[in-house]
Amino acid sequence: MKLAALLLIPFLSATPAAAQDQPSLPGLPQSVEVALKVQRDGSLSVTEAVSVPRDTSMTRTIPLRANDRVLGIHDISIEGAGNAESGNDQVTFYLRGGTSVLRYTVDGAVGTSLGVEHVTWDVAGGWDTRLELVRATFAAPAIPDALSCLAGPPGSTTRCGAAQIDHSGLTRVSVPKLEPGSRVQLTAELPGGTVTATEKLIPSGPFAATAPVWWSWLAFAVLSIAGAVAVYVRRRRDQQPGRATPVQLLDNGRFSSPDGVLPGHVGLLLTGRVSSVDLAATVLDLCVRNYLWVSEEGPRNWVLVRRNPPDEHLTAFERAVYTAAVPGEAATLAEVREAGVRELAADTVRRGWRSPKRLSKIGPRLCGYGVFLTVLLAFTVGYAQLGLVLLATGIVVTAAARLLPERTKAGLDLRDRLLGLNAQLRTMEAPDDELLGSRALPYAYALGEADAWLVNACSLSAYWYGSSGEDAVPLARTSGFVTALTVAFEGARDLRPDEPKTPAPA
């Protein structure tokens, strides 16, 4: 009967004005009287009168961060035996024996949803001591349209036994016997426009979009746009038709190719692919440079003979082609094998004519690291979206690696010079020197101008080509050998596994 009378005292005796200014003093030890008042600017004024038994202490901890909501508490004052401490996203009140009155202001308690303001506050919560009685009043510039009061452990949906709006519009709440760690949560819905919404929401959880995450996504977006522009510019430049640039074939009377380009390089630089023509032109070039000898044993019967061993003047791919074309001291065309394609591609990269395929390896690695980092952060410190940023970066890098043209600016310049060489071989007159005529022949085959060049050089002999019973073989007669050599390379092995995957248009 005594407890029931105490529950009714504030409902019968307190006036609305008095309730809005300050709470009544607690009538029971270990009890709390609370007065809440929301202002027009959305701030919540809180006054708590707490009765602490003599020779004991009570502590209340108010978290400033709950789920996605961030609160602010300021203007703290205490009348009585106690003190307050702030830090680590919480405010803690330490109270000693007697009655203490706590006053403070809360920012962030007013939210809005569908045009309705809702004020949510834990009237009591975070106490380390059982409360015999919690009573509270709530006042606002307008009468609440709806009221919700929950009591019990955090997360529970048990409603308060006594929570109502009286005839004057004052909200009253009364909860007896609140266990330590439990809370009394009051939510009042106000008509839209009554007060200013002050709620601050910061997403929580491992995939929360926090400030570092937003900055990371912004950096990713900026870099992606810059990368897309760079890819577009390079592709557009690479796809533009080449312009034949005049070249000088003779240097002090000796044959000189543009930038030291070899016949085997021509296919990669013009079409982005290695064909049997490029390998046949490489073998022909080795013959012209006296590393190999062509012996004509009969109609459509040729034998390649080693004349000089490969030395430091040959590149890695030339040595590979040399060994594959003539496995022993001599070999027929049926014995030639495809080789040197990988070395050929690597040589163009080394010379700076084509880009290395680093991005094609980096992209999948970044994707793997991104997945690993996402899982790791999700189960540890959070910020898991940073892993997603890394994963997205890997995907973009992988796409860029497929879209980027392989030819560099130096490769494009050399393409134009090869086109100039092509035009020059098609129109120029062959020199009188057999050496110069033969030195140009492999490039004419690689560029597809062999027929025109052989017509121009019909008066020259092939010093690298022999036939039984003949001392001098006309240069034009070698066309059958090169054609047969090209066919032999085509049938030796499928070239596709070693070819570049992205052809570059001429």
Side-chain angles (χ1 to χ4, degrees):
M1 292 297 293
K2 182 178 180 181
L3 179 58
L6 289 171
L7 290 174
L8 292 174
I9 287 175
F11 293 89
L12 298 176
S13 61
T15 65
Q20 292 180 26
D21 293 337
Q22 62 181 12
S24 304
L25 295 179
L28 287 175
Q30 292 183 205
S31 60
V32 180
E33 298 275 354
V34 183
L36 308 175
K37 183 177 182 180
V38 64
Q39 308 294 336
R40 289 282 184 185
D41 61 1
S43 61
L44 180 66
S45 299
V46 182
T47 304
E48 300 182 15
V50 185
S51 175
V52 182
R54 184 177 298 178
D55 299 329
T56 61
S57 64
M58 294 173 60
T59 300
R60 183 188 183 192
T61 300
I62 303 176
L64 300 181
R65 211 169 156 166
N67 297 325
D68 295 345
R69 190 170 69 154
V70 178
L71 302 172
I73 294 180
H74 55 90
D75 298 335
I76 300 174
S77 66
I78 299 179
E79 296 178 7
N83 64 291
E85 292 183 0
S86 299
N88 297 326
D89 288 334
Q90 64 183 27
V91 175
T92 304
F93 293 98
Y94 301 95
L95 306 179
R96 296 180 293 277
T99 298
S100 298
V101 179
L102 318 178
R103 292 185 175 86
Y104 52 90
T105 302
V106 180
D107 293 328
V110 181
T112 181
S113 176
L114 300 177
V116 176
E117 280 94 29
H118 49 83
V119 185
T120 302
W121 182 247
D122 284 353
V123 174
W127 288 102
D128 65 344
T129 307
R130 169 190 167 104
L131 298 179
E132 297 298 331
L133 179 63
V134 176
R135 294 190 298 198
T137 59
F138 171 78
I143 298 176
D145 291 331
L147 190 67
S148 172
C149 182
L150 303 177
S156 67
T157 57
T158 303
R159 295 188 174 276
C160 303
Q164 63 182 26
I165 301 174
D166 64 15
H167 65 280
S168 65
L170 192 65
T171 300
R172 299 180 183 275
V173 174
S174 182
V175 176
K177 302 185 183 307
L178 188 69
E179 296 298 326
S182 295
R183 83 339 182 182
V184 176
Q185 185 182 77
L186 177 67
T187 299
E189 292 187 3
L190 303 177
T194 302
V195 296
T196 302
T198 59
E199 188 177 53
K200 297 179 181 179
L201 298 177
I202 298 181
S204 60
F207 291 92
T210 57
V213 170
W214 282 116
W215 281 111
S216 299
W217 280 116
L218 178 61
F220 166 77
V222 171
L223 293 177
S224 297
I225 293 174
V229 172
V231 170
Y232 172 77
V233 171
R234 286 195 57 180
R235 284 179 62 88
R236 183 177 181 181
R237 183 180 63 187
D238 188 80
Q239 292 172 357
Q240 289 178 347
R243 295 178 297 178
T245 302
V247 296
Q248 185 68 34
L249 290 183
L250 299 180
D251 183 12
N252 295 326
R254 301 178 60 184
F255 178 84
S256 176
S257 64
D259 290 344
V261 66
L262 298 169
H265 294 140
V266 172
L268 267 178
L269 293 173
L270 293 185
T271 67
R273 298 175 65 86
V274 179
S275 69
S276 57
V277 173
D278 302 306
L279 299 179
T282 299
V283 172
L284 179 59
D285 190 50
L286 292 174
C287 295
V288 171
R289 291 157 61 190
N290 282 322
Y291 287 99
L292 297 175
W293 172 270
V294 181
S295 176
E296 184 178 340
E297 301 297 333
R300 302 192 61 81
N301 182 20
W302 296 272
V303 176
L304 288 170
V305 181
R306 291 191 178 190
R307 197 167 192 177
N308 288 299
D311 54 25
E312 69 277 4
H313 298 294
L314 297 184
T315 63
F317 88 86
E318 287 178 309
R319 287 194 294 270
V321 172
Y322 177 98
T323 304
V326 189
E329 290 300 318
T332 64
L333 297 192
E335 298 177 74
V336 301
R337 294 292 179 265
E338 177 274 331
V341 177
R342 293 186 184 276
E343 292 85 353
L344 176 60
D347 191 60
T348 58
V349 172
R350 181 184 61 82
R351 294 173 184 246
W353 299 333
R354 294 170 64 249
S355 301
K357 297 182 178 181
R358 294 172 183 168
L359 290 181
S360 61
K361 299 178 180 179
I362 294 176
R365 290 180 181 177
L366 289 178
C367 291
Y369 295 152
V371 172
F372 173 76
L373 186 61
T374 300
V375 175
L376 178 64
L377 294 178
F379 287 97
T380 54
V381 298
Y383 300 99
Q385 285 203 51
L386 296 179
L388 296 180
V389 173
L390 187 59
L391 174 60
T393 302
I395 295 174
V396 170
V397 170
T398 302
R402 293 180 175 274
L403 295 175
L404 272 175
E406 293 187 342
R407 284 184 299 210
T408 62
K409 185 178 184 304
L412 290 175
D413 293 340
L414 183 56
R415 173 201 63 180
D416 294 342
R417 300 174 75 179
L418 285 174
L419 293 177
L421 174 61
N422 182 66
Q424 191 166 353
L425 291 174
R426 187 168 56 247
T427 59
M428 72 177 289
E429 294 182 2
D432 296 333
D433 192 320
E434 294 179 352
L435 175 61
L436 296 180
S438 292
R439 288 287 286 121
L441 183 58
Y443 294 91
Y445 269 106
L447 290 167
E449 298 296 337
D451 292 341
W453 182 250
L454 289 173
V455 169
N456 292 335
C458 61
S459 61
L460 300 179
S461 299
Y463 60 86
W464 44 270
Y465 190 103
S467 176
S468 59
E470 294 184 79
D471 295 332
V473 176
L475 195 62
R477 184 168 160 179
T478 63
S479 61
F481 158 71
V482 181
T483 301
L485 181 61
T486 303
V487 173
F489 272 119
E490 287 179 351
R493 195 172 70 173
D494 186 7
L495 298 179
R496 285 176 295 177
D498 291 330
E499 292 176 353
K501 300 304 180 184
T502 306

